[in-house]
Amino acid sequence: MDVGIGSVLITGGAGFIGSHLAQALATKGCRVTVLDNLTSGHLENIKDFMKDITFVEGDIRDKDLLKKITQHCDVVFHQAAVVSVTKTVDDPVGSALVNELGTLAVLDAARQNNVKRVVLASSSAVYGDDPQLPKIESMPPNPLSPYAVQKLTNELYADLYNELYGMETVCLRYFNVFGPRQDPSSPYSGVISIFMRLATEGRTAVIFGDGEQTRDFVFVGDVVQANILAATGNAAGEIFNVGTGKAISVNALWALISRMAGDEQKPTYEPARAGDVMHSLAGVTKGYDRLMFQASVPLTDGLSQTLAWYRNHLTAQ
């Protein structure tokens, strides 16, 4: 299926979400360029379709490189970032150089080359610990980490470029994305990738707090679809949540994953981590009304696909 986009650049395209987006767009006939410095991305993620894309190893802070590879580009999908909240807490300045100045460099290269639209990956972290559920896009932001501040700053820059320069921008606030290729080896991985590795290896999970905290988990394939709709729909200057509108507790999640893995084990518990949000749930009305985006992969189906990938991946290591 042709999505009507000729040429795209995906920053962070060898990463977890970026590689899925690159594969989907290449399959749909787009000319795809992937830019990644391989800090957290992996060539393994794109090796199966490397012949169908152009891979450039480089950094989003390299303004000359960005200016070169955004020429003749219709859409930029900006996925590159320091994605760990913990890393941004440990190194707020270093992470801001990537997440803020790097994003600004991407936006400006796109402006200079008259790119039609830039779709930026933002985060539900901008909502902070506001107890209101679901989280809707019109809520006042309440960032509680350098990561959340950096993502919110990106949204402000995106809006500025849309208004001041007339370059179309769309920001997507991801909730808890999961799926194949999410790196299970990093201590900063999402909880599902960590649980998957533990269940596959027959080990039990450590849950911080009482495990009754809830999260809105959205499958990576649905996130790809949201990006494509954001690139092609009537959405310029807008911000959208990307989630399912459904939540599950961490306790129930571990029980489900360990049962699927065939080795049900009781988790152990440690004290809650400072700054952890108790409940998170995406409001999905705006995304459906404006983009016709609706997450379509049920949690159990997404977990099944992800578990199969982890089993193959860990066996091959």
Side-chain angles (χ1 to χ4, degrees):
M1 183 188 77
D2 189 346
V3 292
I5 309 172
S7 179
V8 305
L9 169 67
I10 304 173
T11 69
F16 163 45
I17 297 172
S19 65
H20 283 279
L21 182 58
Q23 185 171 17
L25 289 169
T27 301
K28 294 175 188 297
C30 299
R31 295 185 302 279
V32 177
T33 298
V34 161
L35 174 67
D36 205 298
N37 67 1
L38 302 179
T39 298
S40 56
H42 304 281
L43 290 176
E44 176 78 13
N45 289 338
I46 58 176
K47 68 177 177 62
D48 289 343
F49 54 94
M50 185 75 90
K51 68 182 188 308
D52 302 319
I53 65 172
T54 300
F55 173 70
V56 178
E57 185 173 351
D59 197 287
I60 57 171
R61 292 166 291 185
D62 186 337
K63 292 186 288 185
D64 292 336
L65 177 60
L66 281 173
K67 191 170 182 180
K68 178 182 177 182
I69 62 176
T70 50
Q71 289 178 15
H72 314 299
C73 191
D74 299 311
V75 177
V76 173
F77 294 93
H78 180 41
Q79 301 289 324
V82 175
V83 294
S84 161
V85 172
T86 308
K87 279 186 178 178
T88 71
V89 171
D90 293 341
D91 185 12
V93 175
S95 59
L97 290 173
V98 176
N99 290 352
E100 292 184 26
L101 291 181
T103 297
L104 188 56
V106 170
L107 286 167
D108 210 54
R111 175 186 69 85
Q112 292 178 55
N113 280 317
N114 298 309
V115 171
K116 178 174 173 53
R117 184 171 291 188
V118 180
V119 179
L120 298 94
S122 187
S123 170
S124 61
V126 302
Y127 294 117
D129 60 358
D130 190 318
Q132 178 184 326
L133 294 176
K135 312 294 186 185
I136 58 174
E137 293 88 345
S138 58
M139 288 171 60
N142 182 34
L144 299 177
S145 65
Y147 176 77
V149 169
Q150 290 157 13
K151 288 297 187 182
L152 183 59
T153 301
N154 293 351
E155 293 183 0
L156 294 171
Y157 271 123
D159 184 60
L160 181 69
Y161 270 70
N162 187 76
E163 294 293 329
L164 184 62
Y165 300 117
M167 185 183 73
E168 297 180 2
T169 59
V170 184
C171 296
L172 300 178
R173 289 177 177 169
Y174 298 161
F175 277 68
N176 292 75
V177 186
F178 75 99
R181 301 184 196 148
Q182 194 169 28
D183 186 354
S185 63
S186 166
Y188 310 115
S189 295
V191 64
I192 285 181
S193 64
I194 293 171
F195 281 4
M196 284 285 176
R197 179 167 196 144
L198 293 171
T200 303
E201 295 176 346
R203 295 187 288 153
T204 194
V206 175
I207 292 176
F208 296 93
D210 63 6
E212 288 306 299
Q213 57 268 46
T214 59
R215 296 292 183 267
D216 185 332
F217 292 101
V218 57
F219 188 63
V220 66
D222 283 325
V223 176
V224 166
Q225 185 62 19
N227 271 274
I228 293 171
L229 290 170
T232 56
N234 180 23
E238 297 291 343
I239 296 169
F240 298 97
N241 289 335
V242 178
T244 67
K246 300 173 184 176
I248 185 173
S249 73
V250 174
N251 282 332
L253 178 70
W254 170 250
L256 182 58
I257 290 174
S258 64
R259 187 163 62 248
M260 291 175 75
D263 186 21
E264 294 184 56
Q265 295 198 42
K266 297 288 186 187
T268 59
Y269 294 89
E270 292 191 2
R273 293 178 296 193
D276 268 2
V277 175
M278 192 64 193
H279 300 292
S280 183
L281 178 68
V284 296
T285 302
K286 182 181 178 184
Y288 183 76
D289 289 347
R290 292 293 300 275
L291 295 177
M292 290 300 293
F293 169 69
Q294 186 171 34
S296 63
V297 180
L299 179 63
T300 50
D301 290 0
L303 289 175
S304 178
Q305 291 183 51
T306 306
L307 182 59
W309 182 86
Y310 275 97
R311 280 179 164 152
N312 291 334
H313 182 76
L314 293 172
T315 301
Q317 286 185 334

